[in-house]
Amino acid sequence: MTSPTPRVVSGIQPSGTIHLGNYFGAIRQHIALQDTHPGDAFYFIADYHALTTVRDPAVLRAHVFDSALTYLALGLDPARATLFRQSDVPEVTELAWLLATVTGMGLLERAHSYKDKLANNITPSVGLFFYPVLMAADILAHDGTLVPVGKDQLQHVEMAQDMATHFNEAYGRDPPVLYRPEPLPAKAAVVPGLDGRKMSKSYDNSLLLFESGKPLRKRVGQIVTDSTPLGEPLPFATCNVVALLRLFCDDAELAAIETYYRDGRRDGAPFGYGHAKLLLAEKIEQHFAPARARREQLLTPAGRAEIEAVLTRGAQRARAVASATLARCRRACGLR
Ligand code: AQP
């Protein structure tokens, strides 16, 4: 059950500023896929989803804008990829309802991300519990067959597969009403935050892409490490700073860092966590320097108008696909 044209569909929540986890877990791959799937790479800014955590309209609008700005600064090409606001395609909310009617409670109760939020004392709304259904609707409404996500989201894509199967079993397998999506997991492991938990917008443990100079060094300085004194051997395999350095360093650089950790020295001088953190801050600053410059250019009035136009055109393209899918689903269920 695959769609005639493989279509890449994925999204990001404008629930905070985009961080290294979002970049290495998702956005880097999203941008690469516009080369292999030109015209069929759909990325949405999940503002309906973000309403489960953001309650200030001005803040939500600012995060939506910043998400679009970040994608474009990082190299998303609107001629090859479709970028749009989720809420500009309201068909997904109706499809979410149709999917909810064929989805068992048990499926949602098993969601790891929901259980993690509970474990982290986040008071759940029905919307948060319902998140995997809306995410499935986002994918299925746009006939997404390839879903690039971070490893933390794999279970949600599997749930979307289950929901498509249940819907087809209820309303039409041949031809299928909905296409089965396949996950495309990021190569990078789940990126840890400053405190070692998953880096997450809602845990205040993020490193941002465009921070630089002293504020960046200060933030990197907050990465939790043990209390090994300067000049003593450091634990390479379990260190949070190393987990983040892995995102930026090639094998030779990592091998060199491993020797500094093992010896507690670099070029004869004592080496400690402070030095490792400085290396990381430099790497982050260098890696995102070209995108930071493009971001500045887009922050002009002309750039802002261009971003709005990109989102409007993207919504038109996405809505054309979603309304056709929804019409198919409504017909299949017996709705007018
Ligand atoms: N720490 C991470 N490591 C690897 N990938 C990650 N992603 C998020 N955090 C990490 C991937 O980023 C994409 C977009 O995520 P999202 O914004 O839709 O939601 P999320 O996974 O819930 O991200 P956050 O930052 O944790 O947001 P909040 O705090 O609002 O819930 C996804 O592909 C995800 O895998």
Side-chain angles (χ1 to χ4, degrees):
M1 278 198 303
T2 47
S3 123
T5 2
R7 176 163 302 125
V8 178
V9 175
S10 195
I12 187 140
Q13 285 197 71
S15 47
T17 307
I18 288 174
H19 52 67
L20 292 186
N22 298 137
Y23 176 71
F24 286 102
I27 301 177
R28 182 172 62 165
Q29 219 184 345
H30 295 173
I31 290 171
L33 284 161
Q34 70 190 5
D35 294 337
T36 48
H37 297 73
D40 272 304
F42 279 33
Y43 303 122
F44 57 92
I45 300 172
D47 48 358
Y48 282 140
H49 278 290
L51 287 176
T52 60
T53 48
V54 182
R55 292 282 152 73
D56 180 328
V59 170
L60 182 66
R61 279 194 293 273
H63 286 325
V64 169
F65 174 78
D66 197 58
S67 303
L69 173 68
T70 301
Y71 264 91
L72 293 170
L74 289 168
L76 181 123
D77 173 6
R80 287 178 292 158
T82 299
L83 182 69
F84 59 101
R85 282 186 200 89
Q86 182 187 33
S87 61
D88 282 342
V89 186
E91 285 77 4
V92 296
T93 54
E94 185 174 342
L95 182 58
W97 174 253
L98 301 185
L99 294 175
T101 62
V102 295
T103 302
M105 287 286 288
L107 187 73
L108 299 188
E109 280 162 356
R110 286 193 288 279
H112 303 310
S113 83
Y114 178 72
K115 288 196 267 188
D116 283 351
K117 296 260 151 91
L118 293 189
N120 282 289
N121 297 323
I122 290 173
T123 312
S125 61
V126 175
L128 189 65
F129 182 67
F130 194 74
Y131 178 116
V133 185
L134 185 56
M135 176 164 159
D138 288 317
I139 297 167
L140 302 174
H142 302 295
D143 294 340
T145 49
L146 205 54
V147 188
V149 282
K151 294 201 166 72
D152 60 311
Q153 291 274 357
L154 281 178
Q155 191 195 27
H156 288 159
V157 182
E158 286 160 12
M159 290 179 166
Q161 292 176 332
D162 288 346
M163 289 179 220
T165 303
H166 294 156
F167 194 87
N168 289 339
E169 278 170 356
Y171 297 115
R173 283 185 225 204
D174 195 17
V177 189
L178 294 171
Y179 301 117
R180 180 185 166 87
E182 295 299 333
L184 186 62
K187 289 201 188 77
V190 172
V191 177
L194 302 179
D195 53 4
R197 292 185 293 170
K198 177 195 142 181
M199 189 176 289
S200 187
K201 299 182 211 90
S202 46
Y203 297 163
D204 189 24
N205 67 353
S206 298
L207 288 170
L208 308 181
L209 314 190
F210 300 124
E211 219 158 37
S212 60
K214 208 168 160 196
L216 173 63
R217 287 197 296 277
K218 192 166 167 212
R219 192 81 181 144
V220 169
Q222 291 165 2
I223 299 172
V224 174
T225 51
D226 64 23
S227 51
T228 308
L230 178 66
E232 295 291 315
L234 305 171
F236 182 78
T238 53
C239 176
N240 279 335
V241 186
V242 172
L244 291 159
L245 277 166
R246 284 183 195 284
L247 302 167
F248 297 95
C249 295
D250 60 27
D251 289 348
E253 288 173 306
L254 277 173
I257 294 168
E258 190 169 3
T259 35
Y260 309 154
Y261 266 65
R262 196 186 51 224
D263 302 343
R265 307 193 79 74
R266 177 185 183 176
D267 302 331
F271 180 90
Y273 288 122
H275 299 100
K277 289 176 178 179
L278 270 182
L279 276 178
L280 176 62
E282 278 166 21
K283 284 283 177 194
I284 297 174
E285 190 147 354
Q286 276 166 18
H287 189 92
F288 294 108
R292 195 177 301 111
R294 275 197 299 276
R295 184 175 182 275
E296 290 306 313
Q297 287 160 10
L298 284 164
L299 277 171
T300 57
R304 286 172 185 273
E306 189 187 325
I307 291 174
E308 199 45 52
V310 166
L311 292 175
T312 304
R313 282 199 305 275
Q316 283 161 358
R317 261 188 255 160
R319 204 163 179 196
V321 177
S323 53
T325 306
L326 187 64
R328 219 162 58 223
C329 293
R330 288 181 65 115
R331 255 195 320 274
C333 309
L335 300 172
R336 263 171 54 83

